[in-house]
């Protein structure tokens, strides 16, 4: 064996590590060569010799047996071709942290910020610092990519925290051009999950170096050997180069702020992780004396500064107060002036007079700047390749509110307000599309998934908008006269006792199982399905119901495949109010025998509003405002009215519930469901 990598097994003697990593060396753990693993997987390759550079940092001299890092052949070729005009900045590293949802990215960033002394010792710091959005903190997920930086041994490390949910993959795709490497965070029990495959595929396509961080290593059922082998198999499946497969592995516990080069010998801090970043992430290659070029990868808005463009400066120097040229992909350019410049230091933006190539910066003064445009030199600047993201797979119709309660709670209710807000969303959300509908007050919004569009809906209602949305529909394609629909990989983690009902539910929705395995020693199983996107609509609630809230469902887009056939997503009808007024206990007592109700006594309802779920197929109209007749006949005992607790449906639940002829009414204070009056009139 001629090449050592960061995958640890019990084979062979222990390697000698670089001087910077000897403190954290575990003599009982040894690496295995890439060739050995590829022969096992049926892919025989020729191993590069030990004389090739394993790390991009020239300060680290590798011995014959050493901890190697992944460096892409693309980066090497680019460096060799442009040696004359390019150079590297040794004082900067740019990395993105990518992972599947809930694998601990944001918690790991918290620990890195704290150990880099970003905050005072007596400063009160909340958990998940990077999740600054109210909606992110409420849902416990990262929605928007965010920038920060730390300093370690005189080197500035720019960090980009990215979302882990597949619906926000566009946020990941557009920031990968700002970095030279990624930290791939993998759970020590679950291993690579669907979103892990997606983000790793994008990073490998960019040619980035990868450092694998096995997080949550302190879990009782941790299985690091299985996770490392599964991750390596994923690299092979995604056609990674030999250099990329030679990745460094760091074992960490983000919540405890510890890391190490072996799972049973962690350091007291994240020192091994920081050393791996300096050693394995390539230095940015820049053209210091060339014309200015900066690709805008993100935008923000400030009430005082206006629109702020964020990106990495690829060449030249940006100076405050200078005039620049803003170029687009179609070779149309316009001139602008930079009013302010900022760089990221610790957890805030710091104003500077100029920015050198290789650093990530924020530019103010260009109010019409768009993501994907290039800020270039005024005289000889040229546009960089624009950012491209994958196409959306789900669409929903947005229309003005036409219910009798329109205008009671919302501030923006007209079609002009709705149109302006939707098209303004396109300025920073590249993975979303907006089109005009069949009528002037209807708009079609397309996104990566229902959650992607639901987050937009939630933000709009908090801003004071009032509107209606229709049920989600998948976006099909016709290729060679064949109807194709999107398919996704669905991964369900659940206790073994609920395996039967969940498998039956997925089978009814045209799902095909291709993998099933046990997870750790906690009595849980992991099943993987390939299922049409249509079958996922309303599936999350159904799985939670049959598993009593214990199952975890994750999905990621796979490919377009032939139409799978008809799918029945809901067997029950709706209970519909046919009278406007205030609900009464007397009417609800008789109505609850027909099914489950969404409303309680004293609520205002209108004709056509959905007030419950019918226990049988088909809709049923009810009078939920009926009052008890007043007579002068007295009884000895009044009848006691006992009402069941109404169902509480969130915005996501309502969107999953509605069918073709139903709508969800969105207001700042209320979420109601109703029958579509246009379809009702046609019938």
């Amino acid at each position: 064996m001629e090449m050592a990598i960061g995958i640890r097994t019990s084979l062979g003697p222990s390697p000698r590590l670089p001087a910077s990593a000897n403190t954290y060396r575990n003599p009982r753990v040894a690496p295995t060569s890439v060739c050995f693993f590829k022969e096992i997987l049926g892919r025989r390759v020729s191993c590069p010799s030990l004389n090739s550079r394993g790390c991009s940092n020239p300060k680290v001299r590798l011995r014959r047996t050493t901890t190697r890092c992944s460096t892409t052949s693309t980066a090497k070729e680019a460096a060799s071709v442009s040696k004359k005009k390019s150079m590297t900045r040794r004082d900067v590293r740019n990395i993105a942290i990518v992972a599947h949802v809930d694998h601990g990215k944001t918690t790991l960033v918290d620990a890195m910020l704290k150990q880099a002394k970003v905050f005072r010792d007596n400063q009160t710091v909340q958990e998940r610092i990077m999740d600054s959005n109210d909606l992110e903190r409420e849902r416990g997920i990262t929605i928007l990519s965010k920038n920060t930086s730390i300093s370690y041994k005189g080197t500035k490390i720019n960090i980009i925290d990215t979302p882990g949910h597949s619906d926000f993959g566009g946020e990941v795709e557009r920031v990968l051009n700002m970095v030279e490497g990624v930290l791939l965070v993998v759970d020590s029990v679950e291993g690579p999950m669907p979103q892990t495959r997606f983000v790793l595929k994008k990073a490998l396509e960019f040619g980035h170096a990868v450092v694998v961080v096995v997080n949550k290593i302190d879990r009782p059922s941790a299985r690091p050997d299985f996770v490392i082998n599964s991750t390596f198999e994923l690299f092979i499946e995604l056609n990674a180069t030999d250099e990329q497969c030679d990745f460094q592995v760091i074992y960490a516990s983000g919540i405890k702020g510890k890391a190490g080069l072996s799972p049973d010998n962690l350091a007291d801090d994240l020192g091994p992780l920081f050393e791996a970043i300096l050693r394995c992430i390539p230095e940015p290659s820049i053209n210091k004396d060339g014309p200015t070029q900066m690709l805008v990868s993100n935008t923000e808005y400030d009430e005082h500064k206006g629109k702020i463009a964020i990106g990495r400066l690829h060449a030249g120097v940006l100076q405050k107060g200078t005039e620049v040229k803003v170029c687009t992909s179609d070779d149309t350019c316009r001139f602008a002036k930079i009013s302010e410049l900022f760089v990221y230091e610790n957890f805030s933006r710091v104003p500077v007079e100029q920015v050198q190539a290789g650093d990530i910066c924020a530019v103010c003064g260009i109010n019409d700047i768009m993501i994907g445009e290039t800020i270039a030199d005024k005289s000889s600047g040229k546009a960089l390749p624009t950012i491209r993201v994958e196409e959306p797979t789900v669409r929903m119709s947005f229309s003005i509110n036409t219910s009798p309660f329109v205008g009671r709670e919302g501030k923006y209710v007209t079609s002009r307000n709705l149109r302006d807000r939707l098209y303004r969303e396109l300025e920073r959300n590249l993975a979303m599309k907006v089109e005009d509908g069949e009528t002037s007050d209807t708009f079609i919004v397309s996104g990566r998934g229902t959650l992607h569009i639901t987050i937009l809906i939630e933000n709009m209602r908090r801003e004071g908008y009032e509107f209606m949305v229709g049920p989600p529909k998948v976006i099909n394609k016709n290729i060679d006269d064949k109807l194709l629909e999107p398919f996704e990989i669905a991964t369900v983690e659940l206790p073994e006792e609920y395996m039967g009902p969940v498998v039956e539910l997925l089978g009814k929705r045209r799902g095909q199982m291709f993998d099933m395995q046990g997870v750790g020693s906690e009595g849980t199983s992991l099943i993987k399905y390939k299922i049409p996107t249509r079958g996922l609509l309303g599936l999350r609630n159904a799985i939670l119901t049959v598993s009593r809230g214990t199952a975890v469902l994750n999905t990621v887009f796979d490919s377009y495949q032939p139409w799978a056939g008809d799918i029945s997503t809901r067997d029950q009808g709706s209970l519909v109010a046919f009278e406007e007024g205030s609900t009464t206990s007397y009417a609800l007592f008789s109505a609850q025998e027909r099914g489950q109700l969404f409303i309680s006594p004293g609520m205002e309802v209108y004709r056509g509003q959905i007030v419950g779920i019918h226990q049988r197929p088909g809709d049923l109209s009810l009078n939920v405002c009926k009052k008890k007749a007043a007579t002068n006949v007295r009884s000895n005992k009044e009848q006691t009215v006992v009402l069941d607790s109404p169902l509480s449906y969130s915005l996501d639940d309502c969107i999953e519930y509605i069918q073709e002829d139903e709508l969800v009414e969105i207001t700042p204070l209320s979420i109601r469901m109703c029958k579509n009056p246009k379809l009702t009139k046609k019938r």
Side-chain angles (χ1 to χ4, degrees), residues 329-494:
S329 57
D330 55 356
D331 294 332
T332 58
C333 300
R334 61 187 186 277
F335 295 97
K337 185 176 181 180
I338 298 176
S339 60
E340 289 187 85
L341 271 178
F342 297 89
V343 295
Y344 290 90
E345 289 186 7
N346 296 335
F347 199 59
S348 60
R349 287 195 294 257
V350 178
V352 293
E353 292 297 323
Q354 68 175 15
V355 177
Q356 300 288 338
D359 204 351
I360 296 175
C361 62
V363 178
C364 300
I366 311 175
N367 291 327
D368 58 348
I369 193 73
M370 300 285 288
I371 294 176
E373 295 183 334
T374 303
I375 298 177
D377 184 74
K378 182 180 178 181
S379 57
S380 58
K382 295 182 179 180
L384 291 167
T386 188
I387 301 173
R388 298 189 181 276
V389 297
E390 292 187 358
E391 294 293 320
T393 58
V394 176
R395 68 174 186 268
M396 294 174 63
S397 63
F398 284 54
S399 60
I400 61 172
N401 190 2
T402 56
S403 76
F405 296 165
V406 60
R408 291 189 179 184
E409 302 171 357
K411 182 180 179 182
Y412 307 105
V413 297
T414 65
S415 60
R416 181 179 58 83
N417 298 140
L418 183 61
R419 179 189 179 88
D420 292 344
R421 176 62 180 83
L422 290 177
Y423 279 95
R424 192 164 66 246
E425 182 71 17
L426 300 181
E427 295 180 2
R428 67 165 315 280
N429 202 333
L430 295 185
M432 187 170 286
K433 290 186 177 180
V434 178
E435 302 170 347
D436 292 337
E438 297 178 355
T439 60
S440 60
D441 57 359
T442 304
F443 307 93
I444 305 300
V445 179
S446 305
R448 288 286 184 86
T450 53
L451 181 61
H452 189 199
I453 304 178
T454 301
I455 294 298
L456 169 63
I457 295 173
E458 185 65 36
N459 284 327
M460 290 176 63
R461 72 182 289 253
R462 296 188 181 198
E463 295 169 9
Y465 286 86
E466 193 172 300
F467 54 98
M468 285 183 166
V469 297
K473 301 177 183 178
V474 299
I475 301 175
N476 300 321
K477 289 183 178 181
N478 276 299
I479 300 178
D480 297 331
D481 295 331
K482 292 183 179 180
L483 181 60
L484 305 181
E485 65 173 330
F487 274 68
E488 301 195 27
I489 301 297
T491 304
V492 186
E493 184 179 350
L494 75 165

Side-chain angles (χ1 to χ4, degrees), residues 518-579:
V519 180
S521 59
E522 300 172 357
T524 60
S525 297
L526 192 72
I527 54 177
K528 296 182 180 180
Y529 273 78
K530 181 173 288 187
I531 184 172
T533 304
R534 289 181 298 129
L536 295 174
L537 303 178
L539 180 63
R540 194 177 303 274
N541 280 336
I543 285 183
L544 290 176
T545 300
V546 300
S547 65
R548 298 188 179 182
T550 58
V552 179
L553 172 66
N554 292 295
T555 61
V556 67
F557 173 75
D558 180 56
S559 61
Y560 273 85
Q561 296 186 13
W563 180 264
D566 294 333
I567 297 176
S568 176
T569 57
R570 198 180 87 189
D571 299 328
Q572 297 171 308
S574 299
L575 299 177
V576 184
F578 67 78
E579 183 178 306

Side-chain angles (χ1 to χ4, degrees), residues 164 277 285 309 372 410 421 513 631 682:
I277 292 173
S285 179
R421 176 62 180 83
M513 182 190 296
T631 66
K682 290 181 180 179

Side-chain angles (χ1 to χ4, degrees), residues 3-6 34 68-70 241-248:
M3 182 176 66
I5 65 172
V34 174
R68 290 175 54 86
C69 316
S70 65
T241 64
D242 295 337
E243 290 81 4
Q244 289 172 328
C245 289
D246 188 11
F247 55 82
Q248 171 71 55

